[in-house]
Amino acid sequence: MLVQLISPLLKRKALLPSGCGRVALALGIYAVLGLSTSGLASDVPMPSGFATAAGNPPAPDTQFTDQNGQRITLGSFRGTVTVVNLWATWCAPCIKEMPSLARLAARLPDAVKVIAVSQDKGGAAAAKPFLDRVDVKGLQVYYDPSGKLFRDFGGRGMPTTFILRGDGAVVARLEGVTEWDAESVVAFLLALAKK
């Protein structure tokens, strides 16, 4: 309703600044109304600390390895909202958030997948025994010992997590730790899965 009221104002050039000023004003109005310019308009706001991925770029088509040693890409998860967590056994913040990632995975329907992609150079030989030792269960773990997926995503530090729409577009990014099973995160992912 508010968008219908504001849209005519945005078209009236005499009332608004020109060019970039008009675009900035429109973006500001969308932000105030809690609307997203990236196709995520929803009653559910993005959780605190997350950043919107400008332009919703496609996820990289980089190969990594599944639990059976088979090469896959993020394209394997098309049709589902996918939470892609990039982590390593030597990263203390990564380890801190692992239990909440596992709890998140347990709470979500099949329309949302949570995958943890280890960046350890030792691959499964380094990550699997570590996860067994710290007793993290129920989390789908994958391996990228070359770190290519992290680089292709433009990662700067770990943990870094990307949220992908069902079409493989990146909609959000989080650098650092969060409580993944917090109600705000669960609600956001469930709303995204309904789009």
Side-chain angles (χ1 to χ4, degrees), residues 14 25 33 35 48 77 82 95 111 114 118 127 131 138 157 160 186:
L25 180 61
L33 295 176
L35 301 174
S48 177
F77 299 96
T82 309
I95 304 315
V114 178
S118 167
L131 290 171
T160 298
V186 173

Side-chain angles (χ1 to χ4, degrees), residues 123-194:
K128 187 168 179 0
F130 175 82
L131 290 171
D132 290 343
R133 192 169 57 252
V134 296
D135 200 30
V136 173
K137 292 184 172 52
L139 193 57
Q140 291 184 13
V141 180
Y142 297 82
Y143 310 99
D144 178 33
S146 70
K148 187 161 176 21
L149 183 62
F150 181 79
R151 288 190 304 279
D152 289 351
F153 259 126
R156 297 181 295 194
M158 282 191 257
T160 298
T161 306
F162 298 89
I163 298 176
L164 313 181
R165 280 191 318 228
D167 64 359
V170 181
V171 295
R173 168 189 191 125
L174 175 70
E175 294 178 352
V177 176
T178 195
E179 280 299 316
W180 285 102
D181 57 337
E183 292 305 319
S184 61
V185 176
V186 173
F188 176 73
L189 293 171
L190 291 176
L192 191 56
K194 290 179 184 174

Side-chain angles (χ1 to χ4, degrees), residues 12-95:
R12 297 189 69 184
K13 296 177 183 174
L15 297 176
L16 298 173
S18 64
C20 293
R22 191 175 307 130
V23 171
L25 180 61
L27 291 175
I29 290 169
Y30 272 64
V32 167
L33 295 176
L35 301 174
S36 168
T37 57
S38 63
L40 282 178
S42 170
D43 294 337
V44 181
M46 189 171 295
S48 177
F50 287 71
T52 301
N56 301 126
D61 196 31
T62 309
Q63 290 188 345
F64 53 100
T65 308
D66 70 10
Q67 300 89 339
N68 300 316
Q70 300 298 311
R71 293 202 157 289
I72 64 166
T73 67
L74 291 171
S76 302
F77 299 96
R78 288 271 167 101
T80 63
V81 170
T82 309
V83 178
V84 182
N85 178 263
L86 304 176
W87 70 284
T89 59
W90 46 263
C91 167
C94 300
I95 304 315

